[in-house]
Amino acid sequence: MDILTLGNDLLRQKAEPVRPIGAEYVGIAEEMIEALHAGKGIGLAGPQVGLSKRIFVVQVEGEAPRVFINPTIIGTSQDLVKYEEGCLSIPGIWAEVMRPAAVKVQAWNEKGRPFTLDAEGILARVIQHEYDHLEGMLFIDRLSVPKRDRVLLKYEKRRVRQHPPKA
Ligand code: NI
């Protein structure tokens, strides 16, 4: 699975619910986890691999991969924390983003089994980042305008270096 990068319209679309959660989602989740490992990331959402469906996979250090289908964030903590985020769709860019420290999420796994999870720390962070992808939102949208302009400029410079224009 190839990972789409900033500029691809699919990353800006609201993803569709998965209905029903068919047997093919076992394979889709597996492929997404492989792409996540290949990209050395901790989370990957459907739209990032060209699948505009409400699914994401997450794997934080020391834990097994988790699959979230049709997730709803049903609760967030009052306290907010700053944490440095990156995104497989915006390679080479990191920025501090403020978000709730803990979340409660309800979702279904790749076998169609419902679950509820209380998450904090890095897990809460990545769940919120991936959930945003399902809404067509990227972490850079949560930065102040001057900060976003700075990171986008850095991203463009980096891209030009990697793909120099042919004369
Ligand atoms: Ni991302």
Side-chain angles (χ1 to χ4, degrees):
M1 279 180 165
D2 290 331
I3 296 176
L4 307 180
T5 53
L6 189 65
N8 191 296
D9 288 345
L10 212 71
L11 293 174
R12 292 310 197 170
Q13 281 172 28
K14 190 174 155 95
E16 294 291 322
V18 177
R19 250 179 230 130
I21 303 171
E24 69 274 22
Y25 275 86
V26 172
I28 291 170
E30 209 168 284
E31 279 187 58
M32 286 178 68
I33 292 163
E34 276 172 27
L36 178 68
H37 292 163
K40 299 192 190 334
I42 59 170
L44 184 67
Q48 292 181 277
V49 290
L51 180 67
S52 195
K53 294 282 183 187
R54 302 187 79 81
I55 177 171
F56 61 74
V57 297
V58 159
Q59 186 168 22
V60 299
E61 211 182 321
E63 289 187 17
R66 298 171 189 267
V67 180
F68 298 77
I69 296 176
N70 299 337
T72 309
I73 293 177
I74 54 177
T76 53
S77 63
Q78 292 280 332
D79 52 319
L80 304 176
V81 286
K82 228 186 230 179
Y83 198 94
E84 190 166 68
E85 295 187 26
C87 180
L88 288 169
S89 293
I90 319 175
I93 296 296
W94 283 270
E96 282 190 329
V97 183
M98 193 81 108
R99 296 187 193 262
V103 293
K104 190 186 203 53
V105 58
Q106 194 274 316
W108 283 260
N109 72 8
E110 71 279 20
K111 290 169 187 149
R113 204 170 296 143
F115 64 93
T116 302
L117 175 72
D118 283 299
E120 53 178 28
I122 182 87
L123 186 59
R125 177 57 54 147
V126 66
I127 286 170
Q128 293 175 80
H129 176 115
E130 299 314 320
Y131 184 85
D132 275 355
H133 275 298
L134 305 183
E135 296 294 302
M137 191 163 186
L138 301 171
F139 81 97
I140 54 170
D141 302 339
R142 296 193 175 274
L143 304 175
S144 67
V145 173
K147 191 159 183 202
R148 180 161 65 232
D149 287 349
R150 269 201 308 280
V151 301
L152 285 175
L153 191 64
K154 190 174 162 198
Y155 180 68
E156 279 310 310
K157 279 185 180 158
R158 188 177 176 273
R159 241 162 47 121
V160 170
R161 264 202 316 277
Q162 283 178 343
H163 307 282
K166 292 189 178 81

